[in-house]
Amino acid sequence: MTTLDVLLPYYGDVALMKAAVRSVLAQTDEDWRLTVVDDGKEPGVPEWFAELGDPRVRYFRNERNLGVTGNYRKCLGLAEHEHMVFMGTDDIMLPNYVATVRACLAEHPGAAIVQPGVEVIDSTGKPGTTLADEAKRRLYAPKLRGRTVMGGEELATSLLKGNWLYFPSLCWRTEAVRAMGFRDDVEIIQDLALVIDLLQAGEQVVIDDTRCFQYRRHNVSVSATSAFSGARFAEARRYFLDVADRLDQQGWHRAAKASRLHLSARIHALTLVPGAIRAKQWDGAKALVRNATSTAAQPR
């Protein structure tokens, strides 16, 4: 099995990025290669990478800001190995991450995605949870133990009811992602769109409950900022209704129904209304209510 490409599309907090990089350097399985693509202009960052002196680490700084999707596309173009990870620059790989996903791929080499066990941490790095994460764990994620393979309409329906995957922790088969590509019409839910596209193409996902990744949940992320404005949910609603039509055409009617209902996204929008009001984001609060209560389109 080939080396694991760890891709780090970077923008934002320097200290958190350094912690993410150090967590990759600390892997017990050393068969990885880290590529960092810097989409910002923070001072001292190129010098810090130059001082690392590790031949497995590559660093690039974009001449101009490419934005979220543009930087992901650049990272994808730089991947050179069979499997890769789009790691978040505020997340942490536990020392057993590479070993865990490589074991999954050794057992299921044809899988397009591996979802290992994830621990949610707060902005300070302490274990924590939110209502959204508890809903993922208790309501939407299948009750699985050990290592399991899922795919097809069953998995698509489950994820469209409530997306319980953690994108920065996923390991992907590089060619499967390249063949599908990133969508131009979504940004915040680009991860879900890509997974559903792959499932519709017949790909499978390995789910392993071995905890080996820490996902940082805080209120300064792009997704959190767009959530209060209502932009995240407006984008999500457009996507859910569009993909429902495609799922119906494929004969995946249960998945299409779950997509049109998109109940978890509606509930999440409603839970954010009080926070938007406290922040005096009146337009955002109205948009959240509108996206939570709008009638889903009916099948054509």
Side-chain angles (χ1 to χ4, degrees):
M1 188 171 59
T2 61
T3 301
L4 182 67
D5 262 316
V6 181
L7 308 172
L8 204 69
Y10 164 56
Y11 184 90
D13 189 289
V14 175
L16 291 178
M17 177 274 294
K18 290 181 178 180
V21 170
R22 292 190 184 102
S23 75
V24 178
L25 296 173
Q27 292 300 297
T28 57
D29 184 330
E30 299 181 350
D31 198 0
W32 51 265
R33 200 267 299 276
L34 173 64
T35 300
V36 180
V37 181
D38 188 348
D39 206 33
K41 298 295 181 184
E42 293 292 339
V45 173
E47 293 78 7
W48 185 80
F49 277 99
E51 292 172 0
L52 282 181
D54 192 317
R56 296 170 299 174
V57 180
R58 299 187 299 173
Y59 171 80
F60 302 91
R61 172 167 277 188
N62 295 331
E63 293 184 1
R64 61 180 181 84
N65 183 272
L66 300 179
V68 176
T69 301
N71 209 26
Y72 272 85
R73 284 187 173 130
K74 182 168 181 177
C75 284
L76 178 59
L78 291 168
E80 296 179 349
H81 297 96
E82 187 176 357
H83 294 94
M84 63 183 182
V85 180
F86 290 106
M87 185 180 177
T89 54
D90 53 0
D91 299 320
I92 298 292
M93 281 185 178
L94 297 178
N96 61 331
Y97 177 86
V98 172
T100 298
V101 298
R102 281 168 56 84
C104 291
L105 292 168
E107 185 174 339
H108 302 283
I113 306 171
V114 176
Q115 172 63 83
V118 173
E119 176 181 47
V120 178
I121 58 176
D122 63 19
S123 58
T124 67
K126 296 179 180 178
T129 189
T130 65
L131 181 60
D133 292 300
E134 282 300 300
K136 281 187 178 190
R137 184 173 67 87
R138 295 176 182 271
L139 301 179
Y140 305 120
K143 303 302 185 288
L144 304 173
R145 290 185 178 274
R147 188 174 297 161
T148 306
V149 178
M150 295 186 69
E153 184 179 12
E154 178 188 11
L155 181 54
T157 302
S158 176
L159 293 173
L160 290 165
K161 287 180 178 178
N163 183 10
W164 43 268
L165 300 176
Y166 287 92
F167 178 56
S169 71
L170 299 177
C171 177
W172 308 79
R173 194 173 75 246
T174 305
E175 287 309 313
V177 178
R178 281 192 173 137
M180 199 60 61
F182 292 108
R183 288 168 163 261
D184 291 320
D185 57 339
V186 295
E187 181 171 300
I188 304 302
I189 59 168
Q190 184 74 251
D191 53 340
L192 177 62
L194 179 56
V195 172
I196 297 299
D197 284 346
L198 289 170
L199 291 176
Q200 286 192 275
E203 300 288 359
Q204 292 186 314
V205 180
V206 179
I207 299 134
D208 190 299
D209 65 359
T210 304
R211 187 172 296 178
C212 60
F213 193 91
Q214 291 181 321
Y215 175 84
R216 194 180 303 271
R217 181 78 72 182
H218 50 68
N219 291 326
V220 296
S221 64
V222 172
S223 59
T225 302
S226 63
F228 268 179
S229 71
R232 171 178 183 167
F233 298 100
E235 173 188 287
R237 185 173 184 275
R238 289 193 301 269
Y239 167 74
F240 284 128
L241 299 182
D242 172 69
V243 78
D245 290 336
R246 294 191 290 109
L247 291 165
D248 266 330
Q249 292 170 10
Q250 190 162 343
W252 289 11
H253 302 303
R254 287 188 298 113
K257 181 178 179 180
S259 190
R260 287 192 177 90
L261 185 59
H262 52 276
L263 184 59
S264 66
R266 292 167 181 263
I267 294 172
H268 189 193
L270 282 177
T271 65
L272 293 174
V273 171
I277 292 173
R278 286 195 296 271
K280 296 183 179 180
Q281 295 191 23
W282 312 117
D283 289 341
K286 292 177 182 177
L288 289 167
V289 172
R290 185 166 57 252
N291 282 291
T293 58
S294 296
T295 303
Q298 296 302 311
R300 294 177 180 176

